Amino acid sequence: MKIDWNTIDTVLLDMDGTLLDLHFDNYFWLTHLPRRYAEHHGLCPDQATIDLHKRFNEKRGTLDWYCLEYWSKELSVNIRELKEEINHLIQERPFVQEFLTQLGEEGKQRVLITNAHPHSLELKLSVTGIGPLLDHIYSSHQFGHPKETPAFWQALEQEQHFIAARTIFIDDSIEVLRAAENYGVGHLLGISQPDSKQAAKLLDGFPTIIHFSEILPHD
């Protein structure tokens, strides 16, 4: 993968699965939460898992799907506290700090855009070292729309004032990449192995990398 960094002013970056290993989120939602939810409500773990996955899928692609407050209320558990129980699993992906540092040295605007709820964003920034290496940080919750929607991109451009044609957006979600493409973002790049415990995958229609070492500006 070769990027002409001279044609790019702004780098829009996803967090979970892009800058951070998606293993934490997958383990939390697919394993840890169902287990703790079953314990809290005295349910069979297997049935609790089935019920939760059904409820999650009904909200997929909406802001509620990402909302810790929504799920805390719906499930009668404290999602933030349950996440803190396994915060040792929150990890940066390889070469993230080198990549962000070199972008800053090249004068690029480093902008985090995430669907993560502000409570989750706060937790992950406190555990990792990415915060000081970012120029701007936005959660889709402050705009009231997830990244999958045109309304998010309209709100972001009003707030950030980036030139779409001279912007690269890096994400692990094909739905979000398509939304950015439809909005006119000039350069799009996928992450093919967002979860370090799972095999790499293709994102149909988009170029991908595994690690940021493949696109370091100084190389």
Side-chain angles (χ1 to χ4, degrees):
M1 181 66 195
K2 184 66 176 177
I3 295 175
D4 183 358
W5 289 105
N6 293 320
T7 66
I8 294 169
D9 301 322
T10 302
V11 183
L12 302 177
L13 297 151
D14 172 50
M15 181 171 69
D16 301 319
T18 299
L19 296 182
L20 304 185
D21 193 334
L22 196 61
H23 174 63
F24 169 82
D25 299 275
N26 284 338
Y27 182 80
F28 177 81
W29 293 104
L30 300 178
T31 302
H32 187 68
L33 175 58
R35 180 185 301 148
R36 299 289 278 117
Y37 174 77
E39 292 172 359
H40 183 79
H41 293 288
L43 303 173
C44 166
D46 290 342
Q47 188 58 50
T49 298
I50 293 170
D51 292 344
L52 286 179
H53 289 180
K54 181 177 182 294
R55 295 173 74 170
F56 294 155
N57 286 331
E58 289 172 352
K59 290 294 182 178
R60 185 178 293 273
T62 72
L63 205 58
D64 283 343
W65 196 65
Y66 302 100
C67 184
L68 270 59
E69 292 172 338
Y70 174 84
W71 290 115
S72 293
K73 181 179 179 181
E74 284 290 306
L75 305 180
S76 298
V77 296
N78 189 317
I79 299 293
R80 168 66 188 260
E81 289 184 359
L82 294 183
K83 286 198 169 196
E84 289 176 344
E85 291 177 354
I86 59 167
N87 65 9
H88 62 281
L89 296 179
I90 299 173
Q91 303 284 340
E92 296 169 14
R93 296 187 66 253
F95 304 101
V96 162
Q97 292 210 17
E98 294 93 327
F99 180 60
L100 293 176
T101 297
Q102 290 189 22
L103 289 177
E105 292 170 352
E106 293 293 318
K108 312 301 180 186
Q109 283 290 299
R110 302 160 297 180
V111 183
L112 178 68
I113 55 172
T114 178
N115 277 328
H117 185 272
H119 291 172
S120 184
L121 175 59
E122 178 186 20
L123 173 63
K124 289 171 178 176
L125 291 177
S126 72
V127 171
T128 68
I130 63 174
L133 299 174
L134 296 163
D135 299 300
H136 303 280
I137 298 173
Y138 299 103
S139 166
S140 60
H141 294 259
Q142 71 192 83
F143 299 134
H145 304 279
K147 293 189 296 184
E148 291 89 332
T149 65
F152 168 85
W153 293 94
Q154 294 164 4
L156 176 66
E157 190 162 11
Q158 290 176 1
E159 185 73 24
Q160 182 61 36
H161 306 296
F162 62 92
I163 300 172
R166 294 187 58 83
T167 296
I168 186 170
F169 173 50
I170 308 175
D171 200 295
D172 65 296
S173 164
I174 193 167
E175 292 83 8
V176 176
L177 287 167
R178 285 172 178 160
E181 181 178 48
N182 291 336
Y183 195 67
V185 175
H187 308 270
L188 299 162
L189 183 62
I191 299 293
S192 62
Q193 193 183 26
D195 183 331
S196 63
K197 307 301 182 184
Q198 297 182 9
K201 61 182 180 179
L202 295 177
L203 295 176
D204 188 35
F206 298 99
T208 61
I209 59 169
I210 294 181
H211 297 312
F212 288 107
S213 56
E214 300 172 47
I215 57 167
L216 291 173
H218 292 179
D219 282 7

